[in-house]
Amino acid sequence: MSLLGEIERNHADLGDGRNTRGVLRFITCGSVDDGKSTLIGRLLHDSRTILQDQLAAVTRASSKRGSGELDLSLLTDGLEAEREQGITIDVAYRYFATGRRKFIIADTPGHEQYTRNMVTGASTADAAVVLLDATKGLLPQSRRHLLIAHLLGIRNVIVAVNKLDLAGYGREVYAALRASFENFAAPLEIPNLLFIPMSALRGDMVVERGANLGWYQGPTLLEALEAIDVESTDSSLPFRFPVQYVARGQVRSYMGRVAAGTVQTGAEVIVLPSGRRTRVKGISVLGDSLGSALAGDSVALQLEDEVDVSRGDMIVDAHRLPRPVKAFTAKLCWLASEPLAPRGRYLLRHTTRTVKARFAAINYRIDVQTLEQRPLEGEVRMNDIVHAALAVQQPVFVDPYAMDRATGAFILIDEATNQTVAAGMIE
Amino acid sequence: MKSDRSHLDWLESEAIYILREVAGEAANPVLFFSGGKDSIVLLRLAEKAFRPGRFPFPLMHIDTGHNFDEVIGFRDARAAELGERLIVRTVEDSIARGTVRLRSADESRNAAQSVTLLEAIAEFGFDAAIGGARRDEEKARAKERVFSFRDEFGQWDPKNQRPELWDLYNARVHKGEHVRVFPISNWTELDIWQYIGREKLEVPSIYYAHRRQVMRRNGYLFAPKPGEQGEELSVRFRTVGDISCTCPVESDAGDVQAIIAETVSSTLTERGATRMDDQTSDASMERRKKEGYF
């Protein structure tokens, strides 16, 4: 049976939403020139996600524009300005499902002036698909995409060596590109780096295997995306539970989502910042008692002892604590159109905790083409990535971002405008 | 520990997290409840987020006066069953005040709804309004944030949205501004029906196949106008908005499993099959949203 047939069959089995591998969020990095829109269009089309009326609308818009070919980028470029300029500006989220998994694509722009949008899309992604144009070789843009994905802590990277139809489906072209990319990526030590030769235009190795790449024995893109394992890493981390909301009924319940690790009834925990040690008495959702909860689960916790806990506090593994800090260093992507004000007043949002923050030092700029340090010259502007030291008024409880994204990430908010101005990754 | 969490578990946990963030960050939130399937799912998620306590927000419906009786009846019954406060504001009130003027009495009131909605937000001073919009519904919505900022005029500026990273949502507003919050942004129509099935949620009867008098025009099914001779077909509604622009589809699906099967094999999107107001141009949703529409 063809894969497409299998998708249809599995769809029919989706019924109660069981027997699936949950959700995989991934980001696609590349530009229209690399065939990114064609690739997304191919994934959606071959997984039967694009429907007739959407296709009809794209056909209408394509012919209105005078382009003879069906322009699948019109499917994903949702804003008027994007369609007028023929580019992706903002992050768009796309959805498709197979019988095994639901997928959320963050479709982000590839150009350097939209680095902040790629950072945004990458922040929630479990995997990145980096597109290479086989006819052009390894371009600076692809290096930048890999480095940003790495910076944002993405552990699964699939390199799609695309447009092989224009290179005679040559194995040597693919092998050479793969070697040069591997060479470049080696120092980053990406845990799961995979290469797939393909032609998104012809549909080879995206959903179907096609007839042209018989020399390649590995998975198709869709098979690779279905196989990625995201749960085991999150669940093996120390337990972290940022408190979102406190219900003061007969039994005091602390509501939140497990940010990392797992928790069982009876587990010994410490409440931060008070440092009180207690045990988990109950874990519940809507009256159902659960024996345990793991990373990603939204639950209510009850504790053995009366402890003063409020929003912004964190309940953690009693034996593996996060670092309480009032000063720390971080990599920071500046997101706002107003430049960074070194003496400015900012609010720092870390897990469910919001504290006042200021810059102690801005150390250097990070070159997103090479990850090399560059001296600071002039202001820190939109899309810049810098290394900085920050000081906060109240302690925050952190883990290195490279270990735990949930407790290693923060945003800065301008106190005057309420704008989100920076994204930070704690060292 | 090996997880057996399905995609519905994942979506549910994310939505509960978002609802609790609104409760933790906003001073005066509200949840829009229309009696439609998406907001029915929102209420179930709110139960999971806050029970055994009360919801930390009232429910509100902006009634165009052109709603299906079954849906309005369902809305009132569900709010009463939950014991939560339901606020209803009507487009009629805005017409009476002179803030909404229609060209004709039976014109679609979908756009006029935005005026009433913003008036209601101002009346109660809400700083966060939770809605059941989904990104898969329309391509302008695909670009919308989970916490989506509205200025003092209630306007959405798609080119100047707040960046939204990780699950660190920014709900901060100045007086007179508000955020719209969409906990089920990442759900599709199929997810909604699978969840309704899993949680055994009741929905208004017109979502299921029933016999109804309809007229065919331009590939859509309409209620016959007075004097017109329609035909009786087995139909159901995929969406239950304003009567004047919401069309039923031919269907025999009498239960949730049949609807899921139909959704999987459908060749038209939810809005493409049913909503006249989205077909006028490529950007009609984006333009309405900029003016304050949900």
Side-chain angles (χ1 to χ4, degrees), chain B residues 236-247:
Chain B
R236 70 176 181 91
F237 287 89
R238 282 174 77 178
T239 162
V240 294
D242 191 284
I243 287 178
S244 60
C245 63
T246 308
C247 307

Side-chain angles (χ1 to χ4, degrees), chain A residues 15 102, chain B residues 7-8 11 15 36-45 131-137 183-201 203 207-208 238 256 259-260 263 270:
Chain A
K102 176 186 168 88
Chain B
H7 70 288
L8 293 181
L11 290 168
K37 66 181 189 314
D38 299 319
S39 60
I40 289 169
V41 165
L42 272 188
L43 287 190
R44 179 62 173 172
L45 295 163
R134 309 188 322 262
R135 284 174 179 153
D136 85 316
E137 286 180 86
I184 56 169
S185 284
N186 287 324
W187 297 47
T188 62
E189 186 186 13
L190 182 61
D191 298 327
I192 291 286
W193 280 112
Q194 287 173 342
Y195 193 72
I196 287 170
R198 187 181 90 169
E199 300 290 314
K200 301 186 170 57
L201 303 181
V203 298
Y207 278 114
Y208 297 114
R238 282 174 77 178
V256 175
I259 291 175
I260 290 169
T263 307
E270 181 177 334

Side-chain angles (χ1 to χ4, degrees), chain B residues 69-211:
Chain B
D69 292 340
E70 293 90 337
V71 180
I72 295 300
F74 182 91
R75 175 199 76 187
D76 294 342
R78 185 72 184 118
E81 183 186 9
L82 287 166
E84 300 289 343
R85 177 177 168 220
L86 173 69
I87 300 165
V88 178
R89 288 294 176 268
T90 66
V91 174
E92 289 298 336
D93 293 341
S94 301
I95 295 171
R97 272 193 295 273
T99 47
V100 164
R101 289 165 66 185
L102 299 172
R103 279 179 307 233
S104 69
D106 57 354
E107 180 185 343
S108 165
R109 296 181 174 187
N110 224 6
Q113 208 180 338
S114 308
V115 175
T116 312
L117 192 153
L118 293 177
E119 287 173 350
I121 285 174
E123 177 189 348
F124 292 96
F126 292 126
D127 59 352
I130 304 160
R134 309 188 322 262
R135 284 174 179 153
D136 85 316
E137 286 180 86
E138 210 281 335
K139 58 185 175 235
R141 282 196 168 150
K143 305 254 164 169
E144 176 120 34
R145 304 293 185 256
V146 173
F147 279 62
S148 187
F149 177 74
R150 296 294 185 275
D151 67 16
E152 57 184 313
F153 300 100
Q155 310 266 304
W156 180 55
D157 182 356
K159 277 188 264 186
N160 191 26
Q161 300 194 78
R162 289 179 179 171
E164 196 158 81
L165 294 104
W166 299 289
D167 52 10
L168 300 175
Y169 300 115
N170 178 355
R172 300 181 70 87
V173 292
H174 291 116
K175 198 170 166 45
E177 303 166 342
H178 69 281
V179 285
R180 301 276 170 89
V181 184
F182 305 111
I184 56 169
S185 284
N186 287 324
W187 297 47
T188 62
E189 186 186 13
L190 182 61
D191 298 327
I192 291 286
W193 280 112
Q194 287 173 342
Y195 193 72
I196 287 170
R198 187 181 90 169
E199 300 290 314
K200 301 186 170 57
L201 303 181
E202 278 186 48
V203 298
S205 56
I206 58 173
Y207 278 114
Y208 297 114
H210 56 284
R211 309 290 299 178

Side-chain angles (χ1 to χ4, degrees), chain A residues 53 80 82 95 102 349, chain B residues 21 143 186 191 269 287:
Chain A
D53 54 325
E80 267 185 297
E82 295 178 321
Y95 305 89
K102 176 186 168 88
R349 176 74 197 275
Chain B
E21 281 304 281
K143 305 254 164 169
N186 287 324
D191 298 327
T269 58
R287 284 178 196 148

Side-chain angles (χ1 to χ4, degrees), chain A residues 186-207:
Chain A
L188 305 179
E189 295 177 3
I190 290 164
N192 183 16
L193 179 65
L194 193 72
F195 293 80
I196 303 178
M198 70 178 64
S199 165
L201 187 69
R202 307 274 169 226
D204 299 312
M205 292 302 162
V206 181
V207 173

Side-chain angles (χ1 to χ4, degrees), chain B residues 23-41:
Chain B
E25 289 283 307
N28 187 17
V30 65
L31 183 145
F32 285 103
F33 177 57
S34 64
K37 66 181 189 314
D38 299 319
S39 60
I40 289 169
V41 165

Side-chain angles (χ1 to χ4, degrees), chain A residues 246-300:
Chain A
V246 180
R248 299 177 195 285
Q250 288 169 326
V251 187
R252 197 171 280 197
S253 271
Y254 307 105
M255 297 169 168
R257 183 161 57 158
V258 180
T262 63
V263 65
Q264 293 82 32
T265 318
E268 197 176 9
V269 292
I270 283 178
V271 180
L272 296 169
S274 72
R276 278 288 302 274
R277 187 177 292 259
T278 181
R279 285 183 186 277
V280 174
K281 188 176 170 188
I283 305 168
S284 61
V285 178
L286 194 59
D288 291 339
S289 282
L290 315 170
S292 64
L294 48 103
D297 291 350
S298 283
V299 294

